[in-house]
Amino acid sequence: MIAPTRMALMAACALSLTAPAARALDLNDMTEAEQTAFGAAVRSYLMENPEVILEAVDVLEQQQAQADARRDEALVAANLQELQDDGYSWVGGNPDGDITLVEFMDYRCGYCRRAAPEVEALLAADSNIRFVIKELPILGDASVLSSRFAIATKLVAGDAAYKDIHDTLLAFKGEPNEVAMRRMAEGLSLDADAILAKMDAPEVNEQLQRTRTLAQTLSISGTPTFVLEEEMLRGYLPADQIQIMIEEIRAARS
């Protein structure tokens, strides 16, 4: 239900559109009688033209979306270095690509799992995308444990091993306890003891904290969240939609 004050403001806007020559209304400069008459006129107009409410709500939502997009763009621009080249996040696709796509993800997030094959399809179809993964475990202890395991793997065994563990964790349906993680590591011929011992290392803590701080700065509270160059894409998007946006960016540059 729309609040009465908001409804009156929308109706006033609609009334002003129907009478552009009328002087601007100042609700604070009305007598009590004038306010009563105005309220009656608003009610009468809305009863006769209820579609105005929906039209006004649409305009309000569009304005809010535009304001949110401008805010996101400014936040991304101010934090572009930390987003695209923080010195610790895994970088895949084409490291020298002309487009950088960053994903904030959580291994326990269903939409992140759904997005994973879409991202892989995108990278396979477009060999000029630089892809950065940001570990943002926000869904509880199992999420944090999974991210610690993935980061420790990268520190101990390198980028290729990280990607293997990353993919394995996204497909894993059980609980990421020590037994399960040891099996994952050993199944990929990795040093499970070294990786498990690294999970609580200071550098793992630092990476998680830096990414968490960055997410807070960017007002990111859900996963997946993508950052395509300087545009924030909040939530799951199919590969074909992201590809369209990428082509638009490239066309604007040419």
Side-chain angles (χ1 to χ4, degrees), residues 36-104:
T36 300
F38 175 74
V42 167
R43 184 179 186 283
S44 175
Y45 182 87
L46 291 177
M47 294 299 290
E48 295 175 5
N49 304 275
E51 71 280 1
V52 168
I53 297 176
L54 297 179
E55 292 172 3
V57 169
D58 287 342
V59 170
L60 187 64
E61 289 177 347
Q62 291 172 14
Q63 291 175 344
Q64 185 62 55
Q66 291 169 356
D68 289 345
R70 288 192 297 269
R71 180 202 61 185
D72 283 348
E73 185 176 339
L75 286 172
V76 170
N79 294 275
L80 202 58
Q81 178 71 24
E82 186 73 4
L83 275 163
Q84 296 188 351
D85 194 15
D86 59 21
Y88 63 85
S89 293
W90 181 85
V91 179
N94 180 354
D96 298 317
D98 68 333
I99 294 290
T100 296
L101 176 67
V102 180
E103 180 186 5
F104 289 81

Side-chain angles (χ1 to χ4, degrees), residues 160-203:
Y162 169 87
K163 184 58 165 60
D164 288 339
I165 287 295
H166 172 82
D167 293 344
T168 300
L169 284 168
L170 280 172
F172 183 61
K173 299 188 186 312
E175 287 299 314
N177 52 39
E178 181 175 339
V179 173
M181 291 185 293
R182 181 176 294 278
R183 286 176 180 169
M184 289 182 207
E186 291 175 348
L188 293 167
S189 300
L190 301 174
D191 187 341
D193 288 334
I195 292 171
L196 292 172
K198 195 72 169 177
M199 287 175 60
D200 291 320
E203 53 264 55

Side-chain angles (χ1 to χ4, degrees), residues 171-238:
F172 183 61
K173 299 188 186 312
E175 287 299 314
N177 52 39
E178 181 175 339
V179 173
M181 291 185 293
R182 181 176 294 278
R183 286 176 180 169
M184 289 182 207
E186 291 175 348
L188 293 167
S189 300
L190 301 174
D191 187 341
D193 288 334
I195 292 171
L196 292 172
K198 195 72 169 177
M199 287 175 60
D200 291 320
E203 53 264 55
V204 175
N205 295 334
E206 180 185 358
Q207 290 186 26
L208 287 171
Q209 184 56 53
R210 279 180 63 179
T211 301
R212 189 178 300 115
T213 299
L214 178 61
Q216 291 171 347
T217 299
L218 297 173
S219 298
I220 294 174
S221 58
T223 56
T225 293
F226 293 94
V227 181
L228 177 59
E229 288 293 290
E230 296 188 11
E231 183 175 358
M232 189 96 69
L233 310 175
R234 299 180 185 273
Y236 165 81
L237 281 178

